[in-house]
mmCIF file of all heavy atoms in Angstrom:
data_model
loop_
_atom_site.group_PDB
_atom_site.id
_atom_site.type_symbol
_atom_site.label_atom_id
_atom_site.label_comp_id
_atom_site.label_asym_id
_atom_site.label_seq_id
_atom_site.Cartn_x
_atom_site.Cartn_y
_atom_site.Cartn_z
ATOM 1 N N GLN A 150 -85.634 94.764 -19.886
ATOM 2 C CA GLN A 150 -85.896 93.895 -18.739
ATOM 3 C C GLN A 150 -87.391 93.861 -18.482
ATOM 4 O O GLN A 150 -87.994 94.869 -18.155
ATOM 5 C CB GLN A 150 -85.166 94.444 -17.518
ATOM 6 C CG GLN A 150 -83.685 94.611 -17.789
ATOM 7 C CD GLN A 150 -82.952 95.263 -16.646
ATOM 8 O OE1 GLN A 150 -83.552 95.804 -15.734
ATOM 9 N NE2 GLN A 150 -81.639 95.206 -16.708
ATOM 10 N N HIS A 166 -82.778 93.878 -11.442
ATOM 11 C CA HIS A 166 -81.333 93.666 -11.332
ATOM 12 C C HIS A 166 -80.854 94.172 -9.967
ATOM 13 O O HIS A 166 -81.614 94.834 -9.247
ATOM 14 C CB HIS A 166 -80.570 94.354 -12.471
ATOM 15 C CG HIS A 166 -80.927 95.805 -12.678
ATOM 16 N ND1 HIS A 166 -80.462 96.551 -13.719
ATOM 17 C CD2 HIS A 166 -81.706 96.657 -11.945
ATOM 18 C CE1 HIS A 166 -80.932 97.780 -13.646
ATOM 19 N NE2 HIS A 166 -81.679 97.865 -12.589
ATOM 20 N N SER A 168 -78.595 96.319 -9.624
ATOM 21 C CA SER A 168 -78.016 97.665 -9.783
ATOM 22 C C SER A 168 -78.691 98.686 -8.864
ATOM 23 O O SER A 168 -78.110 99.739 -8.568
ATOM 24 C CB SER A 168 -78.140 98.114 -11.243
ATOM 25 O OG SER A 168 -77.554 97.158 -12.102
ATOM 26 N N GLN A 171 -76.536 99.817 -6.003
ATOM 27 C CA GLN A 171 -75.535 100.868 -6.289
ATOM 28 C C GLN A 171 -76.059 102.223 -5.819
ATOM 29 O O GLN A 171 -75.378 102.967 -5.126
ATOM 30 C CB GLN A 171 -75.323 101.012 -7.804
ATOM 31 C CG GLN A 171 -74.528 99.943 -8.479
ATOM 32 C CD GLN A 171 -74.221 100.373 -9.917
ATOM 33 O OE1 GLN A 171 -74.073 101.561 -10.204
ATOM 34 N NE2 GLN A 171 -74.108 99.406 -10.810
ATOM 35 N N ARG A 192 -87.706 88.744 -13.215
ATOM 36 C CA ARG A 192 -88.117 89.220 -14.540
ATOM 37 C C ARG A 192 -89.293 88.410 -15.049
ATOM 38 O O ARG A 192 -89.366 87.204 -14.822
ATOM 39 C CB ARG A 192 -86.960 89.124 -15.536
ATOM 40 C CG ARG A 192 -85.877 90.120 -15.159
ATOM 41 C CD ARG A 192 -84.884 90.379 -16.228
ATOM 42 N NE ARG A 192 -83.729 91.040 -15.611
ATOM 43 C CZ ARG A 192 -82.580 91.237 -16.197
ATOM 44 N NH1 ARG A 192 -82.408 90.831 -17.445
ATOM 45 N NH2 ARG A 192 -81.599 91.833 -15.559
ATOM 46 N N GLN A 206 -77.978 87.759 -9.014
ATOM 47 C CA GLN A 206 -76.864 88.523 -9.600
ATOM 48 C C GLN A 206 -75.916 88.981 -8.495
ATOM 49 O O GLN A 206 -76.289 89.034 -7.319
ATOM 50 C CB GLN A 206 -77.390 89.784 -10.298
ATOM 51 C CG GLN A 206 -78.231 89.526 -11.523
ATOM 52 C CD GLN A 206 -78.609 90.824 -12.228
ATOM 53 O OE1 GLN A 206 -78.723 91.876 -11.604
ATOM 54 N NE2 GLN A 206 -78.784 90.743 -13.529
ATOM 55 N N GLU A 208 -73.712 92.447 -8.074
ATOM 56 C CA GLU A 208 -73.365 93.750 -8.617
ATOM 57 C C GLU A 208 -72.042 94.163 -7.990
ATOM 58 O O GLU A 208 -71.762 93.810 -6.838
ATOM 59 C CB GLU A 208 -74.460 94.728 -8.160
ATOM 60 C CG GLU A 208 -74.454 96.033 -8.846
ATOM 61 C CD GLU A 208 -75.090 95.929 -10.223
ATOM 62 O OE1 GLU A 208 -75.741 94.905 -10.522
ATOM 63 O OE2 GLU A 208 -74.915 96.874 -11.003
ATOM 64 N N PHE A 246 -75.336 99.954 -21.751
ATOM 65 C CA PHE A 246 -76.228 99.967 -20.591
ATOM 66 C C PHE A 246 -76.473 101.431 -20.284
ATOM 67 O O PHE A 246 -75.553 102.250 -20.389
ATOM 68 C CB PHE A 246 -75.584 99.288 -19.373
ATOM 69 C CG PHE A 246 -75.222 97.842 -19.609
ATOM 70 C CD1 PHE A 246 -73.904 97.492 -19.868
ATOM 71 C CD2 PHE A 246 -76.187 96.852 -19.588
ATOM 72 C CE1 PHE A 246 -73.561 96.169 -20.103
ATOM 73 C CE2 PHE A 246 -75.854 95.529 -19.831
ATOM 74 C CZ PHE A 246 -74.534 95.189 -20.086
ATOM 75 N N PHE A 248 -76.727 102.932 -17.582
ATOM 76 C CA PHE A 248 -76.058 103.427 -16.364
ATOM 77 C C PHE A 248 -74.543 103.433 -16.448
ATOM 78 O O PHE A 248 -73.869 103.785 -15.479
ATOM 79 C CB PHE A 248 -76.527 102.612 -15.148
ATOM 80 C CG PHE A 248 -76.791 101.157 -15.446
ATOM 81 C CD1 PHE A 248 -75.784 100.215 -15.328
ATOM 82 C CD2 PHE A 248 -78.043 100.747 -15.880
ATOM 83 C CE1 PHE A 248 -76.023 98.879 -15.614
ATOM 84 C CE2 PHE A 248 -78.302 99.408 -16.181
ATOM 85 C CZ PHE A 248 -77.292 98.469 -16.048
ATOM 86 N N THR A 249 -73.981 103.018 -17.589
ATOM 87 C CA THR A 249 -72.519 103.065 -17.724
ATOM 88 C C THR A 249 -72.137 103.683 -19.065
ATOM 89 O O THR A 249 -72.854 103.544 -20.055
ATOM 90 C CB THR A 249 -71.911 101.647 -17.642
ATOM 91 O OG1 THR A 249 -72.693 100.755 -18.424
ATOM 92 C CG2 THR A 249 -71.829 101.146 -16.218
ATOM 93 N N GLY A 280 -71.768 92.080 -17.430
ATOM 94 C CA GLY A 280 -71.863 93.390 -18.061
ATOM 95 C C GLY A 280 -71.107 94.364 -17.174
ATOM 96 O O GLY A 280 -71.030 94.163 -15.961
ATOM 97 N N SER A 281 -70.555 95.412 -17.774
ATOM 98 C CA SER A 281 -69.757 96.322 -16.945
ATOM 99 C C SER A 281 -69.606 97.682 -17.621
ATOM 100 O O SER A 281 -70.062 97.872 -18.748
ATOM 101 C CB SER A 281 -68.363 95.730 -16.739
ATOM 102 O OG SER A 281 -67.670 95.747 -17.971
ATOM 103 N N GLY A 282 -68.964 98.589 -16.936
ATOM 104 C CA GLY A 282 -68.679 99.887 -17.543
ATOM 105 C C GLY A 282 -68.291 100.920 -16.500
ATOM 106 O O GLY A 282 -68.250 100.631 -15.307
ATOM 107 N N ALA A 303 -68.548 99.805 -12.579
ATOM 108 C CA ALA A 303 -69.575 98.894 -12.045
ATOM 109 C C ALA A 303 -69.628 97.660 -12.933
ATOM 110 O O ALA A 303 -69.192 97.692 -14.078
ATOM 111 C CB ALA A 303 -70.935 99.583 -12.027
ATOM 112 N N PHE A 304 -70.112 96.594 -12.344
ATOM 113 C CA PHE A 304 -70.341 95.398 -13.158
ATOM 114 C C PHE A 304 -71.492 94.599 -12.567
ATOM 115 O O PHE A 304 -71.864 94.792 -11.403
ATOM 116 C CB PHE A 304 -69.073 94.531 -13.259
ATOM 117 C CG PHE A 304 -68.555 94.054 -11.927
ATOM 118 C CD1 PHE A 304 -69.039 92.887 -11.354
ATOM 119 C CD2 PHE A 304 -67.589 94.790 -11.247
ATOM 120 C CE1 PHE A 304 -68.553 92.455 -10.116
ATOM 121 C CE2 PHE A 304 -67.109 94.369 -10.012
ATOM 122 C CZ PHE A 304 -67.592 93.204 -9.445
ATOM 123 N N GLY A 305 -72.063 93.740 -13.389
ATOM 124 C CA GLY A 305 -73.160 92.901 -12.917
ATOM 125 C C GLY A 305 -73.011 91.529 -13.543
ATOM 126 O O GLY A 305 -72.733 91.391 -14.730
HETATM 127 N N1 DAH B 401 -77.864 95.391 -14.539
HETATM 128 C C1 DAH B 401 -77.416 94.679 -15.740
HETATM 129 C C2 DAH B 401 -78.380 93.562 -16.073
HETATM 130 O O1 DAH B 401 -79.087 93.134 -15.236
HETATM 131 C C3 DAH B 401 -76.034 94.113 -15.526
HETATM 132 C C4 DAH B 401 -74.991 95.165 -15.416
HETATM 133 C C5 DAH B 401 -74.372 95.612 -16.537
HETATM 134 C C6 DAH B 401 -74.681 95.745 -14.204
HETATM 135 C C7 DAH B 401 -73.408 96.585 -16.485
HETATM 136 C C8 DAH B 401 -73.712 96.732 -14.116
HETATM 137 C C9 DAH B 401 -73.088 97.142 -15.283
HETATM 138 O O2 DAH B 401 -73.358 97.315 -12.988
HETATM 139 O O3 DAH B 401 -72.117 98.105 -15.210
HETATM 140 O O4 DAH B 401 -78.372 93.100 -17.165
#
Side-chain angles (χ1 to χ4, degrees):
Q150 305 175 347
H166 51 187
S168 305
Q171 285 190 31
R192 292 195 196 169
Q206 293 185 331
E208 193 79 13
F246 300 102
F248 35 90
T249 44
S281 69
F304 59 87

